[in-house]
Amino acid sequence: MTESDALKPRRQLGLFDATMIVMGGIVGAGIFANPSEVAHRVHTPFLILGVWVLGGVFAMWGAFIWAELATRLPGTGGQYLYLREAYHPAVAFVYGWGLLLVTQTGGMAAVAVIFASYFRALTGVAWNGSVIAAVVLLGLTGINCFGARAGSNVQSVFMLLRIAAIAGLVILGLALGGGSPKSEPLLASPFSLGVLASIGSAMVPVAFAYGGWQTASFVAGEMRDPRRDLSRGLLMGVAGVVALYLAVNFVCLRVLGPAGLDATTTPASDVMRAAIGARGAQWIAAGIAISTLGFLSQSMLTAPRVYYAMARDGLFFASVGKLSERSRAPVIAIMLQGLAAIVIACSGTYGQILNFEVTVDFIFFAMTAASLFILRRRQIGSDTVTFRVPGHPFTTILFVLACVGIVGSAIVASPLNSAIALGIMLAALPVYYYWRTFRRAHR
């Protein structure tokens, strides 16, 4: 068995699989924590729901763009492949470097911190949240290095558990949570640059919660018909997630109100406590904690496909993409991911980690969306395109500008964390050129 074969699933993926991968990549633990993070930054129901609607529109724009990119370049690697073909291998290397040290690991760290919050709510322990997050990441890293990968059926169970938790939260919250929509002003203060800055700041956690649709493109090369199934799966999956997220936020606002939502870090538990008491809060906390573990375990094994593609192109150490002969797991890549995620999880609060991750992630979202202009101009993949972005170039330009705005908001909200993230990303350039020079000298 070759390394390439070992990275592939045993069966080819279809439309249902693509849709579930998209939804599974988006619906993590963020939706159970980010409603309160948004309420910290904007304070009226109109603005809270408005930024989630805006985030849903943004996610659909992204899904349209990635759907066309997937039909043009349906190989394994996703964004790495699009950036390499549109720009230069150096840009693709910087993306892969950032994925390993900032975006993938930052996302894992943020989800681990959410797990810690709900674990403490479930058990009542007073342990430090960063310690809990680090222990969980260390344990999952070790398990995955030994090749204990959850099978596709187990991962489907975790995905269904997340959906069940959301459905239970919405149904029980509406039926038994009490509360009702109250007449409140649209804005807490007259519209100004300060209000606009608050909206931009609130878009950071919203963008993080909606992020993840792009990970489905990592496995495009393993689908029966990626040009058809991935494009449709992207649109169906994102539309389903938008509906779920708006329902959750409506229930949180109805039951807790803007002030209550602002005051908590575990909104789902508080909603269930109001609906059916302390036992309900424990049930939802347990469901969220378990599904978070499944999400973390799965995410640890998604990005190594990118590292493998980099190593195959001669742009990274071969050992990073190499599989263990004993466990058939990409041990070095998983260990590097786990170590970086632990460092990030211990480096700041949940909101700070969001800004750290989003700063770099959305720079590459903007560059990937802009790559569509280059690929169209060069007519790369034009003979097999089965989906085109509606409203292009206007919708694509708006998506790029929205990404730039989110990056700017993240930098303003947390300059130090964003500066660290940007420094790590830019450090990839001298590493890339040293690596290329080193390889030429030893051929």
Side-chain angles (χ1 to χ4, degrees), residues 39 42-50 184-189 253 258:
V42 291
H43 309 292
T44 67
F46 172 76
L47 288 180
I48 291 170
L49 288 176
E184 298 194 30
L186 298 182
L187 304 176
S189 60
L253 282 170

mmCIF file of all heavy atoms in Angstrom, residues 39 42-50 184-189 253 258:
data_model
loop_
_atom_site.group_PDB
_atom_site.id
_atom_site.type_symbol
_atom_site.label_atom_id
_atom_site.label_comp_id
_atom_site.label_asym_id
_atom_site.label_seq_id
_atom_site.Cartn_x
_atom_site.Cartn_y
_atom_site.Cartn_z
ATOM 1 N N ALA A 39 -22.748 38.417 21.579
ATOM 2 C CA ALA A 39 -23.491 39.329 22.455
ATOM 3 C C ALA A 39 -22.562 40.207 23.296
ATOM 4 O O ALA A 39 -22.973 41.280 23.749
ATOM 5 C CB ALA A 39 -24.421 38.539 23.373
ATOM 6 N N VAL A 42 -21.927 43.071 20.339
ATOM 7 C CA VAL A 42 -23.101 43.868 19.971
ATOM 8 C C VAL A 42 -24.209 43.495 20.945
ATOM 9 O O VAL A 42 -24.277 42.368 21.399
ATOM 10 C CB VAL A 42 -23.540 43.639 18.507
ATOM 11 C CG1 VAL A 42 -22.515 44.208 17.542
ATOM 12 C CG2 VAL A 42 -23.752 42.152 18.216
ATOM 13 N N HIS A 43 -25.142 44.421 21.224
ATOM 14 C CA HIS A 43 -25.967 44.244 22.416
ATOM 15 C C HIS A 43 -27.473 44.318 22.191
ATOM 16 O O HIS A 43 -28.226 44.359 23.167
ATOM 17 C CB HIS A 43 -25.554 45.291 23.464
ATOM 18 C CG HIS A 43 -24.082 45.323 23.724
ATOM 19 N ND1 HIS A 43 -23.411 44.291 24.344
ATOM 20 C CD2 HIS A 43 -23.136 46.263 23.421
ATOM 21 C CE1 HIS A 43 -22.121 44.576 24.430
ATOM 22 N NE2 HIS A 43 -21.923 45.766 23.868
ATOM 23 N N THR A 44 -27.922 44.324 20.956
ATOM 24 C CA THR A 44 -29.366 44.323 20.708
ATOM 25 C C THR A 44 -29.722 43.108 19.858
ATOM 26 O O THR A 44 -28.904 42.618 19.080
ATOM 27 C CB THR A 44 -29.814 45.604 19.977
ATOM 28 O OG1 THR A 44 -29.268 45.610 18.647
ATOM 29 C CG2 THR A 44 -29.346 46.846 20.721
ATOM 30 N N PRO A 45 -30.968 42.591 20.003
ATOM 31 C CA PRO A 45 -31.375 41.434 19.196
ATOM 32 C C PRO A 45 -31.214 41.672 17.701
ATOM 33 O O PRO A 45 -30.821 40.754 16.965
ATOM 34 C CB PRO A 45 -32.843 41.241 19.579
ATOM 35 C CG PRO A 45 -32.953 41.800 20.958
ATOM 36 C CD PRO A 45 -32.010 42.968 20.987
ATOM 37 N N PHE A 46 -31.524 42.878 17.249
ATOM 38 C CA PHE A 46 -31.411 43.176 15.819
ATOM 39 C C PHE A 46 -29.975 42.983 15.337
ATOM 40 O O PHE A 46 -29.735 42.352 14.302
ATOM 41 C CB PHE A 46 -31.873 44.612 15.560
ATOM 42 C CG PHE A 46 -31.617 45.082 14.157
ATOM 43 C CD1 PHE A 46 -32.424 44.646 13.104
ATOM 44 C CD2 PHE A 46 -30.570 45.946 13.868
ATOM 45 C CE1 PHE A 46 -32.180 45.066 11.793
ATOM 46 C CE2 PHE A 46 -30.323 46.380 12.580
ATOM 47 C CZ PHE A 46 -31.127 45.930 11.529
ATOM 48 N N LEU A 47 -29.010 43.515 16.093
ATOM 49 C CA LEU A 47 -27.615 43.387 15.675
ATOM 50 C C LEU A 47 -27.098 41.966 15.852
ATOM 51 O O LEU A 47 -26.339 41.464 15.028
ATOM 52 C CB LEU A 47 -26.746 44.372 16.465
ATOM 53 C CG LEU A 47 -26.898 45.853 16.116
ATOM 54 C CD1 LEU A 47 -25.982 46.702 16.986
ATOM 55 C CD2 LEU A 47 -26.597 46.095 14.640
ATOM 56 N N ILE A 48 -27.503 41.306 16.942
ATOM 57 C CA ILE A 48 -27.029 39.936 17.194
ATOM 58 C C ILE A 48 -27.485 39.007 16.074
ATOM 59 O O ILE A 48 -26.687 38.280 15.480
ATOM 60 C CB ILE A 48 -27.519 39.438 18.571
ATOM 61 C CG1 ILE A 48 -26.820 40.219 19.691
ATOM 62 C CG2 ILE A 48 -27.248 37.944 18.723
ATOM 63 C CD1 ILE A 48 -27.398 39.970 21.068
ATOM 64 N N LEU A 49 -28.807 39.016 15.778
ATOM 65 C CA LEU A 49 -29.299 38.168 14.688
ATOM 66 C C LEU A 49 -28.798 38.670 13.338
ATOM 67 O O LEU A 49 -28.518 37.869 12.433
ATOM 68 C CB LEU A 49 -30.825 38.137 14.700
ATOM 69 C CG LEU A 49 -31.473 37.347 15.835
ATOM 70 C CD1 LEU A 49 -32.992 37.471 15.778
ATOM 71 C CD2 LEU A 49 -31.063 35.878 15.785
ATOM 72 N N GLY A 50 -28.653 39.992 13.212
ATOM 73 C CA GLY A 50 -28.213 40.556 11.942
ATOM 74 C C GLY A 50 -26.828 40.095 11.538
ATOM 75 O O GLY A 50 -26.592 39.774 10.366
ATOM 76 N N GLU A 184 -37.330 46.038 21.583
ATOM 77 C CA GLU A 184 -36.101 46.697 21.984
ATOM 78 C C GLU A 184 -35.602 47.549 20.818
ATOM 79 O O GLU A 184 -35.923 47.282 19.659
ATOM 80 C CB GLU A 184 -35.036 45.676 22.384
ATOM 81 C CG GLU A 184 -35.436 44.836 23.582
ATOM 82 C CD GLU A 184 -34.263 44.069 24.172
ATOM 83 O OE1 GLU A 184 -33.118 44.560 24.083
ATOM 84 O OE2 GLU A 184 -34.497 42.979 24.717
ATOM 85 N N PRO A 185 -34.810 48.577 21.102
ATOM 86 C CA PRO A 185 -34.291 49.404 20.013
ATOM 87 C C PRO A 185 -33.391 48.597 19.087
ATOM 88 O O PRO A 185 -32.766 47.619 19.503
ATOM 89 C CB PRO A 185 -33.508 50.495 20.745
ATOM 90 C CG PRO A 185 -33.172 49.906 22.078
ATOM 91 C CD PRO A 185 -34.340 49.014 22.423
ATOM 92 N N LEU A 186 -33.357 48.996 17.817
ATOM 93 C CA LEU A 186 -32.503 48.297 16.864
ATOM 94 C C LEU A 186 -31.027 48.443 17.227
ATOM 95 O O LEU A 186 -30.256 47.492 17.101
ATOM 96 C CB LEU A 186 -32.752 48.837 15.451
ATOM 97 C CG LEU A 186 -34.169 48.660 14.895
ATOM 98 C CD1 LEU A 186 -34.243 49.206 13.473
ATOM 99 C CD2 LEU A 186 -34.595 47.198 14.928
ATOM 100 N N LEU A 187 -30.658 49.634 17.704
ATOM 101 C CA LEU A 187 -29.268 49.906 18.072
ATOM 102 C C LEU A 187 -29.224 50.389 19.514
ATOM 103 O O LEU A 187 -30.136 51.082 19.984
ATOM 104 C CB LEU A 187 -28.654 50.972 17.154
ATOM 105 C CG LEU A 187 -28.678 50.697 15.649
ATOM 106 C CD1 LEU A 187 -28.112 51.902 14.895
ATOM 107 C CD2 LEU A 187 -27.890 49.445 15.306
ATOM 108 N N ALA A 188 -28.158 50.017 20.230
ATOM 109 C CA ALA A 188 -28.021 50.454 21.616
ATOM 110 C C ALA A 188 -27.659 51.927 21.689
ATOM 111 O O ALA A 188 -27.889 52.586 22.714
ATOM 112 C CB ALA A 188 -26.954 49.616 22.322
ATOM 113 N N SER A 189 -27.089 52.467 20.626
ATOM 114 C CA SER A 189 -26.719 53.882 20.556
ATOM 115 C C SER A 189 -26.858 54.327 19.111
ATOM 116 O O SER A 189 -26.926 53.482 18.203
ATOM 117 C CB SER A 189 -25.288 54.084 21.058
ATOM 118 O OG SER A 189 -24.367 53.343 20.268
ATOM 119 N N LEU A 253 -31.729 34.124 22.342
ATOM 120 C CA LEU A 253 -32.234 35.469 22.606
ATOM 121 C C LEU A 253 -33.615 35.420 23.255
ATOM 122 O O LEU A 253 -33.917 36.216 24.163
ATOM 123 C CB LEU A 253 -32.292 36.268 21.307
ATOM 124 C CG LEU A 253 -30.970 36.832 20.810
ATOM 125 C CD1 LEU A 253 -31.119 37.384 19.396
ATOM 126 C CD2 LEU A 253 -30.468 37.923 21.755
ATOM 127 N N PRO A 258 -30.740 39.559 25.480
ATOM 128 C CA PRO A 258 -29.389 40.026 25.140
ATOM 129 C C PRO A 258 -28.459 40.121 26.347
ATOM 130 O O PRO A 258 -27.295 39.732 26.284
ATOM 131 C CB PRO A 258 -29.639 41.406 24.518
ATOM 132 C CG PRO A 258 -31.049 41.385 24.074
ATOM 133 C CD PRO A 258 -31.776 40.496 25.034
#
